[in-house]
Amino acid sequence: MTEDTGHQQSAVEQAAEVEPFDMVEVIHTKRDGHALADEQIDWVIDAYTRGVVAEEQMSALAMAIFLRGMGRREISRWTHAMIDSGERMDFAALSRTTTDKHSTGGVGDKITLPLAPLVASFGVAVPQLSGRGLGHTGGTLDKLEAIPGWRADLSNEQMMRQLEEVGAVICAAGSGLAPADKKLYALRDVTGVVEAIPLIASSIMSKKIAEGTAALTLDVKTGAGAFMTAEADARELARTMVDLGTDAGVRTVALLTDMSAPLGRTAGNALEVRESLEVLAGGGPADVVELTCALAREMLAASGVDDPDVEAALADGRAMDTWRAMITAQGGDVDAPLPEARHVEQVRAESDGVVTGLDAMAVGVAAWRLGAGRSRPGEAVQAAAGVEITRHIGEQVRAGDVLARLHTDTPERIARAAQAIDGAWDLAAVGTVVPERRIVLDRIA
Ligand code: URA
């Protein structure tokens, strides 16, 4: 029997009385370098989702995980607890098998745009639940919203119908999928705890496993423009995610890819759509085409399509036809002109040389400052803003040549963007032979 003290308790106080663990003890466990028990993990994720664990407590635990790490059992349990915090989708009713791709994020990474229709043109279903950009990396939904009329929000029924009829969908993930991750990711973002391997792996894989795809190809980036700048860390992240997917019954493969320089020649929403259309028309920059085709082959192999001629599907218009159907199904006008920026400023070379490196982070920050990205969730982005690179790795430069064009609707942003991109090009003496850039560094299965 509890004594009636006459004190009105808040919901949190009432819940705290019956909670099986004390959050401060859980924080101590990880802070002191010990493994969390399965029951502690299940409770932390559930209690945090219910609002019983306070943001500052979760922030302390996330930092302890960042500093102390987690073992394989802990990461797996944490991932499954986040999956169990929300709904699971099920594509079993579709007549096509599902195959999905996830990138850890980079500068100029528009690969999803040509990739989803390309893979779907081989008869499989590609459910791309995508996000918006935050910081220096762009978001797929922001890019597609540059197309007049295109809608990111679909109901589960609309998504299923489009997967059956068109084969490819790129849309916003519903709020019911891994809600614990939504809260935790937002917290990590403002407390300096994004770059922790256990937390990135569980964040990405909880959403992908809950989504219910049969196969998953991961594009794990390394280099200046990636979350994991060191290759050894990117490898460990890839291994961790492949193991999580495989253990959950999802056929999972990762490609380790270079993000030291931007992909292609554009960073910014409409600019990247334009470049993706070049790829879908059989052209486009070699690095974007190479990575699109490498990922497409992996996604199709995981779905039992052997030796697909993906280059032919780009060259003969099959991928473009699927793109047009996919964009039209989501309200987009495929023939409408893309927005153009009101102001374009040129960045010029000060000396002669050959480009040996181009700093992805500098280009990403410049695009962001021009208005292509947001600094707070929910902020509007400029569809036409971004960076167009006119001299990339391996190309010759003369003093006075245009290295890049900065696009924006708000000219007051240009000075800070120019500051960010200043010095982004590494130039060596004219005639220096530049080794060919490798995009796919390894495959981890
Ligand atoms: N993308 C995610 O979804 N989660 C992370 O933690 C990092 C990148």
Side-chain angles (χ1 to χ4, degrees), residues 332-369:
D333 181 348
V334 278
D335 296 314
L338 289 164
E340 300 213 13
R342 286 199 282 275
H343 302 271
V344 180
E345 179 90 2
Q346 297 178 333
V347 177
R348 291 185 183 274
E350 284 171 7
S351 55
D352 296 355
V354 56
V355 184
T356 55
L358 177 53
D359 183 346
M361 181 59 96
V363 173
V365 171
W368 179 25
R369 289 185 180 173

Side-chain angles (χ1 to χ4, degrees), residues 347-398:
V347 177
R348 291 185 183 274
E350 284 171 7
S351 55
D352 296 355
V354 56
V355 184
T356 55
L358 177 53
D359 183 346
M361 181 59 96
V363 173
V365 171
W368 179 25
R369 289 185 180 173
L370 288 163
R374 51 177 71 75
S375 30
R376 272 174 286 117
E379 208 172 55
V381 296
Q382 291 183 24
V387 177
E388 190 189 348
I389 298 152
T390 49
R391 289 291 183 278
H392 214 304
I393 294 176
E395 293 172 351
Q396 304 284 333
V397 172
R398 311 284 307 214

Side-chain angles (χ1 to χ4, degrees), residues 68-100:
R68 294 294 199 166
M70 272 181 156
R72 183 171 172 168
R73 175 197 55 79
E74 288 176 285
I75 300 175
S76 171
R77 192 74 181 204
W78 187 274
T79 306
H80 284 275
M82 292 216 292
I83 295 169
D84 292 343
S85 72
E87 66 182 25
R88 288 183 84 135
M89 294 182 70
D90 185 1
F91 296 121
L94 289 177
S95 66
R96 305 172 185 233
T97 180
T98 46
T99 187
D100 195 3

Side-chain angles (χ1 to χ4, degrees), residues 102-105 181 185 188 193-205 207 227 237:
H102 187 87
S103 155
T104 56
D181 177 62
Y185 188 79
R188 287 165 54 211
V193 197
V194 171
E195 298 87 348
I197 290 174
L199 297 177
I200 297 180
S202 56
S203 165
I204 291 174
M205 294 308 293
K207 287 174 285 200
F227 281 128
L237 175 62

Side-chain angles (χ1 to χ4, degrees), residues 72-342:
R72 183 171 172 168
R73 175 197 55 79
E74 288 176 285
I75 300 175
S76 171
R77 192 74 181 204
W78 187 274
T79 306
H80 284 275
M82 292 216 292
I83 295 169
D84 292 343
S85 72
E87 66 182 25
R88 288 183 84 135
M89 294 182 70
D90 185 1
F91 296 121
L94 289 177
S95 66
R96 305 172 185 233
T97 180
T98 46
T99 187
D100 195 3
K101 184 270 313 192
H102 187 87
S103 155
T104 56
V107 177
D109 184 6
K110 72 268 306 166
I111 302 294
T112 296
L113 276 57
L115 180 65
L118 170 61
V119 172
S121 73
F122 285 83
V124 299
V126 186
Q128 278 287 168
L129 300 183
S130 300
R132 296 180 189 282
L134 192 63
H136 74 282
T137 64
T140 299
L141 302 180
D142 296 325
K143 294 173 198 185
L144 286 168
E145 279 175 352
I147 301 172
W150 187 86
R151 290 189 313 273
D153 292 314
L154 299 185
S155 66
N156 284 0
E157 294 69 38
Q158 286 168 323
M159 183 183 175
M160 287 296 194
R161 194 171 336 117
Q162 191 172 324
L163 279 174
E164 193 63 54
E165 291 171 4
V166 178
V169 169
I170 303 175
C171 64
S175 56
L177 221 56
D181 177 62
K182 279 207 176 60
K183 272 188 89 175
L184 182 54
Y185 188 79
L187 179 69
R188 287 165 54 211
D189 196 42
V190 295
T191 52
V193 197
V194 171
E195 298 87 348
I197 290 174
L199 297 177
I200 297 180
S202 56
S203 165
I204 291 174
M205 294 308 293
S206 62
K207 287 174 285 200
K208 291 294 156 182
I209 296 168
E211 172 198 294
T213 183
L216 175 64
T217 302
L218 297 162
D219 178 1
V220 180
K221 305 218 174 272
T222 178
F227 281 128
M228 294 286 118
T229 49
E231 190 174 318
D233 291 340
R235 271 181 197 281
E236 190 185 331
L237 175 62
R239 178 80 268 150
T240 307
M241 291 197 290
V242 169
D243 289 345
L244 282 170
T246 307
D247 290 351
V250 181
R251 293 188 295 280
T252 311
V253 166
L255 295 185
L256 191 70
T257 70
D258 177 52
M259 187 30 73
S260 55
L263 270 172
R265 292 182 176 273
T266 56
N269 303 313
L271 292 170
E272 292 192 49
V273 173
R274 195 164 296 133
E275 196 167 59
S276 303
L277 286 168
E278 290 171 18
V279 175
L280 286 161
D287 56 350
V288 179
V289 175
E290 181 187 336
L291 185 52
T292 302
C293 290
L295 289 165
R297 277 190 286 272
E298 289 295 344
M299 291 170 75
L300 289 164
S303 299
V305 183
D306 292 325
D307 285 331
D309 192 347
V310 290
E311 287 84 359
L314 288 174
D316 65 19
R318 269 177 287 157
M320 180 67 98
D321 288 345
T322 308
W323 161 270
R324 292 177 70 86
M326 175 183 85
I327 297 300
T328 306
Q330 289 175 243
D333 181 348
V334 278
D335 296 314
L338 289 164
E340 300 213 13
R342 286 199 282 275

